Amino acid sequence: MAVVAEAPTRLGAIRAIPRRFVVAGILALWLVIFAVFRGHQTLALAAADLTGLHRWFNDVNDSIGADRNSNPLFLYFFNEIRLVIDNLVTFIQSLISQPSGGRGVPQIGWLGVVGIVGYLSWALGNVRVALLAMAGFTFFGLQGLWQESMDTLALTLSAVFVSLLIGIPLGVWAGMSDRAHRIMTPFLDFMQTMPTFVYLAPLTLFFLIGPASATIATLIYAAPPAIRITAHAIRTVPETTVEAAYSLGSTRRQTLTKVLLPMSKRTVVMGINQTIMAALAMVTIAALIDAPGLGKTVVKALQSLDVGTAFNAGLAIVVMAIVLDRVTTAASDRSATGVPSAGGRGRTAGHPGGRFLKWRRHLLVAGGVAAAVLVYLSHTYVWAAEFPGEGGTGSTIASAADTVTTWAQDHLSGMTNALRDAVTNGLLNPFQTLLTDSPWWLVGAVLVAVGAVLGGRRAGVTAGVCVALLVGTGMWSDSMTTLASTAVATVLVMVLGVVVGVWMGRSPMADRLIRPTLDAAQVMPPFVYLVPFLALFGATRFTAIVAAVVYAAPVTMKIIADGVRAVPETTVEAATAAGSNTWQIITKVQLPMSRSALALAVNQGLIYVLSMVVVGGLVGAGALGYDVVAGFSQGELYGKGLAAGLAIVLLGVMFDGITQAAARRTTAVNGRRH
């Protein structure tokens, strides 16, 4: 009986072992086995070598190319979709960016575009936003990048239009139907997990290289935020309000149009904002499949290490992102506070701003007439159609960037090289060696075991499936190289995120000062982060890692800051009264009670880092990112590039599955404790 009674106690003691100790034991065992089997069964593949899967992808690509104009699936489905999207893009380009109809200039020249942008920004937002928008668009012309900027805007508008046309109805459906919400959520999670790179190769298989494929890739990437945020907006309308509408005899359609959509307008506009930002980020990366615009200029400059040109075009992308973000944010604010009530009387009669709102309507009419006049002038006269000057401001900016780059390389190379070598030799190389020189089955077993310990059985199974498929892609070695860069960058992101996030969470003043900068950083497309670090560190793996850290840090900082701030003040006061100092309060109270926020920060940091690390293939990061880029530029490597894109997806799914499961388990544990 004593033995029987003792067994459950031992089992409970085993289960009570902290997970961090179990993970440490797994890693220690890994090092021991690595020392014995180093260099064996590593599945290394030379840059020019192809596996059977890669050759099969090449054959499929060739077969599709040969049958594109005879296969009914292409004739009546894919080609038709491509034709519709291509016509939409061409139409918008003919309006604002490309010559059309026998004219040597677009239908609406620069002056008309600036007038329309200013008017819409004023109507949707306010005067300050309108002035910012007009100044930003004028700046594109001064940079000598007017046509490239309008091409980027045309692709973005095309993708956003189709994304919203599809996304908002699906979001409404998911918001009103629990079944639809359950079905859509896993697909949306998967789509938002995939880095932008991986959308490109499969779509070129069906829609060819060009603006149509770029727009389709962009709308697929940009649609999930519209669907998810619209569904969230509908589902957060108070249930009592919906029940009251039904009790008064409203039909389902009337409840939707008169209650749900009006009450969720602000959140839906926020979803449009996120859709536009996602589309702009994707459009610039879609330059890899011959999408016109600013992204193409940046890609060519990065490939030739022309920092000045890349910086000038990257600055234009940043300005466009800021303008679009400010306009849609102002529209969101106005939808919540500036919409007149029924009949327009609620905000004019007896309201302090009523007279202003009344005059605003008249001013908007006058502004519309002025914008129409500018459009007419830009359509009729060359001076109003073609931006004057030779883009001297852009040349000055590029020259200044080159000068700064030369100065930095001459005077800061000692410091930058020391930092690069310290991280590369101290962190990246050892971990990469451990991953790439270990037998594939050993790394796979470690990933599955760590996934099971941190995320549970389902996460372990997900990791096992992803490992098996990674082996099947033939890209195991390059996947491990990408994994090493991703892991190192994520560690650096979390260190930075914890330091700054705790500071923001504990200090309201620090939060007020830092958060606007973080918000602005999240607006910028990932491409532009590569340019300054290319100037500082050259074309190396470290450049991609630093760019990934800067790209992913803002989201982790904000999540950790919110988690620390959510710790009850009474708990902190109790710890202070018990004699705890600041360090003890942070390490023993606030961070432990913010475990769920930390787990979520790791999840988001990993996904952001992975998406940026593979983009770093353009600046010497190598591995999977380089394989994807090479697949676009070298026809014989198309299959290998497609397999590399699949490997990136598998890494993303594995990371997301483990970290999300760990976050859920942490939240559940904290909930039981409280």
Side-chain angles (χ1 to χ4, degrees), residues 399-424:
S399 177
D402 286 332
T403 301
V404 171
T405 299
T406 302
W407 181 89
Q409 292 173 346
D410 290 341
H411 295 83
L412 301 179
S413 58
M415 181 177 64
T416 56
N417 290 345
L419 177 61
R420 181 191 64 199
D421 294 342
V423 174
T424 302

Side-chain angles (χ1 to χ4, degrees), residues 172 176 230 233-234 236-238 241-242 245 252-269 332 334-337 339-342:
V172 170
M176 299 186 68
T230 301
I234 297 294
T236 52
V237 173
T241 305
V242 179
R252 187 178 178 87
R253 184 173 186 176
Q254 290 172 328
T255 302
L256 173 64
T257 57
K258 303 294 185 181
V259 178
L260 292 173
L261 287 178
M263 292 189 69
S264 56
K265 184 187 296 182
R266 183 181 185 184
T267 306
V268 171
V269 176
S332 176
R334 176 166 290 279
S335 68
T337 60
V339 179
S341 57

Side-chain angles (χ1 to χ4, degrees), residues 243-549:
E243 291 173 355
Y246 282 129
S247 67
L248 293 174
S250 296
T251 63
R252 187 178 178 87
R253 184 173 186 176
Q254 290 172 328
T255 302
L256 173 64
T257 57
K258 303 294 185 181
V259 178
L260 292 173
L261 287 178
M263 292 189 69
S264 56
K265 184 187 296 182
R266 183 181 185 184
T267 306
V268 171
V269 176
M270 287 174 56
I272 295 173
N273 169 277
Q274 293 301 302
T275 301
I276 292 173
M277 293 298 101
L280 180 59
M282 187 66 189
V283 160
T284 54
I285 292 176
L288 292 169
I289 55 173
D290 203 32
L294 295 168
K296 197 168 189 177
T297 304
V298 175
V299 168
K300 288 183 177 179
L302 290 175
Q303 290 174 337
S304 61
L305 303 183
D306 184 354
V307 175
T309 301
F311 183 82
N312 186 43
L315 182 60
I317 294 173
V318 172
V319 170
M320 184 173 290
I322 291 173
V323 169
L324 294 178
D325 179 64
R326 290 298 90 202
V327 171
T328 50
T329 300
S332 176
D333 294 339
R334 176 166 290 279
S335 68
T337 60
V339 179
S341 57
R345 303 186 178 208
R347 295 298 297 271
T348 56
H351 190 276
R355 183 173 299 178
F356 171 77
L357 291 175
K358 183 178 180 180
W359 276 103
R360 176 179 167 83
R361 297 190 189 97
H362 298 299
L363 292 173
L364 284 175
V365 173
V369 172
V373 170
L374 294 179
V375 170
Y376 170 77
L377 292 175
S378 71
H379 180 77
T380 307
Y381 299 101
V382 175
W383 62 267
E386 293 182 344
F387 199 94
E390 301 295 330
T393 301
S395 300
T396 302
I397 292 172
S399 177
D402 286 332
T403 301
V404 171
T405 299
T406 302
W407 181 89
Q409 292 173 346
D410 290 341
H411 295 83
L412 301 179
S413 58
M415 181 177 64
T416 56
N417 290 345
L419 177 61
R420 181 191 64 199
D421 294 342
V423 174
T424 302
N425 297 327
L427 289 175
L428 181 57
N429 286 346
F431 191 47
Q432 182 173 316
T433 299
L434 181 63
L435 284 167
T436 57
D437 287 3
S438 292
W440 69 268
W441 50 265
L442 175 59
V443 179
V446 170
L447 291 173
V448 171
V450 171
V453 171
L454 295 180
R457 182 180 301 173
R458 180 176 297 180
V461 171
T462 300
V465 172
C466 290
V467 166
L469 293 176
L470 279 173
V471 173
T473 64
M475 306 302 298
W476 179 262
S477 183
D478 282 356
S479 298
M480 293 303 99
T481 301
T482 297
L483 175 57
S485 298
T486 302
V488 169
T490 303
V491 169
L492 297 176
V493 164
M494 289 307 299
V495 171
L496 191 59
V498 168
V499 172
V500 179
V502 169
W503 183 27
M504 291 171 60
R506 289 176 54 84
S507 170
M509 181 176 292
D511 188 85
R512 285 194 300 269
L513 292 174
I514 298 174
R515 192 171 289 265
T517 303
L518 301 182
D519 293 337
Q522 286 191 276
V523 168
M524 292 192 293
F527 244 23
V528 301
Y529 285 94
L530 292 174
V531 177
F533 299 112
L534 177 65
L536 286 174
F537 302 106
T540 65
R541 294 174 298 164
F542 183 70
T543 301
I545 289 176
V546 175
V549 170

Side-chain angles (χ1 to χ4, degrees), residues 7-89:
T9 304
R10 289 179 178 174
L11 183 60
I14 293 173
R15 289 179 177 173
I17 298 175
R19 282 181 286 172
R20 62 179 180 273
F21 292 147
V22 178
V23 171
I26 293 171
L27 297 180
L29 183 61
W30 180 13
L31 292 174
V32 172
I33 301 177
F34 168 75
V36 178
F37 291 97
R38 179 175 183 175
H40 293 82
Q41 298 176 332
T42 58
L43 302 182
L45 188 70
D49 290 347
L50 302 177
T51 67
L53 178 66
H54 305 161
R55 295 188 183 90
W56 183 77
F57 281 152
N58 283 339
D59 292 341
V60 169
N61 185 36
D62 294 339
S63 175
I64 288 176
D67 299 338
R68 188 176 299 277
N69 295 321
S70 58
N71 189 307
L73 184 62
F74 281 88
L75 280 176
Y76 303 110
F77 185 70
F78 291 117
N79 289 357
E80 291 298 319
I81 293 175
R82 182 175 182 273
L83 181 62
V84 170
I85 297 297
D86 195 47
N87 286 337
L88 174 63
V89 174

